């Protein structure tokens, strides 16, 4: 299976800050990397697919980059509703896998 | 807008068999999408389990393939997951999802709210 490692596992930030979360794959996955946001007690929601395409309705302060094995999710000007856990997920192989998550907290 | 709603027994005994169902509304299960189950447990995080297309095509996570079966009921616009020989390690929140799958991208587009399955005596 392709493994994904997110960094950091958690981070503290303030409203208005910019943060970047990275996701590294154990082999090249081209652009087949997606990002999800999960708030406590809720299901994950798709933010970005195909590494850098913003899902409809997602604010433009979210952006994704990368290809191959190294990817990043950047959130500029953090808003109160952005404090959540973020997961990367690969859909390159036949077995889809997720990163372990990054908790963004105040 | 598609909505998905999971249902299940909540509690099952070890070594037992459980069936989970996902009711789909706002969209036809016979559309061009795939439908999938993902689970989340504190110990293993998010784990993809299986996916199905309305024509019966299926894909499974090899780590669970021997114990799971996914199916579609087009007449009820729902899909289901059957998990056998359950253990405490299967305790998790189970989400059903709609999958966007094209030649250039694949992702879990819509999620249900999740149903908790507790494996315990």
């Amino acid at each position: 299976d392709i493994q994904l490692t997110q960094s950091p596992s958690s981070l503290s930030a303030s409203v208005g800050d910019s943060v970047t979360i990275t996701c590294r794959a154990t082999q090249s996955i081209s652009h087949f990397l997606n990002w999800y946001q999960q708030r406590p007690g809720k299901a994950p929601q798709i933010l970005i697919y195909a590494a850098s395409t913003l899902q409809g309705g997602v604010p433009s302060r979210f952006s994704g980059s990368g290809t191959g094995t190294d990817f990043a999710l950047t959130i500029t000007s953090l808003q109160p509703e952005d404090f959540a856990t973020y997961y990367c997920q690969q859909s390159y192989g036949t077995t889809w896998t997720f990163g372990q998550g990054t908790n963004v907290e105040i | 807008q598609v909505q998905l709603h999971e249902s299940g027994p909540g509690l099952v005994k070890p070594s037992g068999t459980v069936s989970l169902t996902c009711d789909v509304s706002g969209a036809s299960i016979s559309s061009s999408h795939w439908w999938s189950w993902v689970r989340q447990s504190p110990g293993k995080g998010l784990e993809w389990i299986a996916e199905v297309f309305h024509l019966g095509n299926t894909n499974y996570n090899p780590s669970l393939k021997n114990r799971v079966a996914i199916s579609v009921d087009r007449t009820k616009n729902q899909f289901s997951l059957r998990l056998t020989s359950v253990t405490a390690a299967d305790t998790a929140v189970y989400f059903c999802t709609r999958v966007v799958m094209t030649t250039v991208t694949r992702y879990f587009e819509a999620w249900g709210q999740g149903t908790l399955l507790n494996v315990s005596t």
Side-chain angles (χ1 to χ4, degrees):
Chain A
D1 292 357
I2 299 170
Q3 307 301 319
L4 298 176
T5 302
Q6 289 182 232
S7 295
S9 296
S10 65
L11 65 89
S12 295
S14 300
V15 173
D17 286 351
S18 291
V19 299
T20 295
I21 301 166
T22 64
C23 179
R24 173 165 288 179
T26 52
Q27 68 180 73
S28 177
I29 57 173
S30 184
H31 63 279
F32 290 96
L33 192 284
N34 310 308
W35 290 98
Y36 300 83
Q37 176 193 68
Q38 186 177 32
R39 297 190 176 105
K42 301 293 186 182
Q45 289 185 295
I46 183 71
L47 292 175
I48 288 169
Y49 61 89
S52 60
T53 303
L54 206 62
Q55 174 73 347
V58 174
S60 59
R61 62 180 179 272
F62 292 92
S63 64
S65 62
T67 188
T69 60
D70 293 298
F71 301 85
L73 170 70
T74 298
I75 314 170
T76 58
S77 188
L78 272 169
Q79 297 300 300
E81 60 268 28
D82 300 338
F83 292 94
T85 301
Y86 294 84
Y87 294 93
C88 57
Q89 175 254 325
Q90 66 82 19
S91 53
Y92 179 81
T94 55
T95 303
W96 299 9
T97 53
F98 292 83
Q100 82 281 13
T102 295
N103 184 29
V104 176
E105 55 190 6
I106 301 174
Chain B
Q1 182 174 347
V2 64
Q3 293 188 326
L4 303 108
H5 185 264
E6 306 90 345
S7 59
L11 177 66
V12 62
K13 289 182 169 51
S15 78
T17 295
V18 63
S19 290
L20 305 175
T21 298
C22 181
D23 289 301
V24 178
S25 59
S28 171
I29 205 160
S30 300
S31 68
S32 59
H33 294 90
W34 284 67
W35 307 88
S36 182
W37 287 94
V38 174
R39 69 182 182 181
Q40 185 171 34
S41 61
K44 295 192 71 175
L46 287 161
E47 181 179 32
W48 170 73
I49 303 170
E51 62 190 6
V52 64
F53 192 63
H54 69 89
L55 295 178
N57 314 67
T58 57
N59 292 306
Y60 293 97
N61 188 323
S63 69
L64 295 164
K65 186 175 183 178
N66 292 337
R67 298 195 295 121
V68 300
I70 190 171
S71 59
V72 164
D73 187 332
R74 289 183 284 180
T75 63
K76 295 182 179 179
N77 215 45
Q78 65 182 203
F79 63 107
S80 300
L81 182 74
R82 186 171 181 266
L83 181 62
T84 63
S85 304
V86 298
T87 70
D90 294 311
T91 294
V93 175
Y94 286 73
F95 296 100
C96 59
T97 77
R98 186 171 79 170
V99 181
V100 169
M101 191 178 302
T102 71
T103 56
V104 297
T105 189
R106 308 168 197 137
Y107 60 95
F108 303 110
E109 176 196 28
W111 299 64
Q113 86 287 351
T115 186
L116 175 63
L117 179 68
N118 189 11
V119 180
S120 174
T121 55

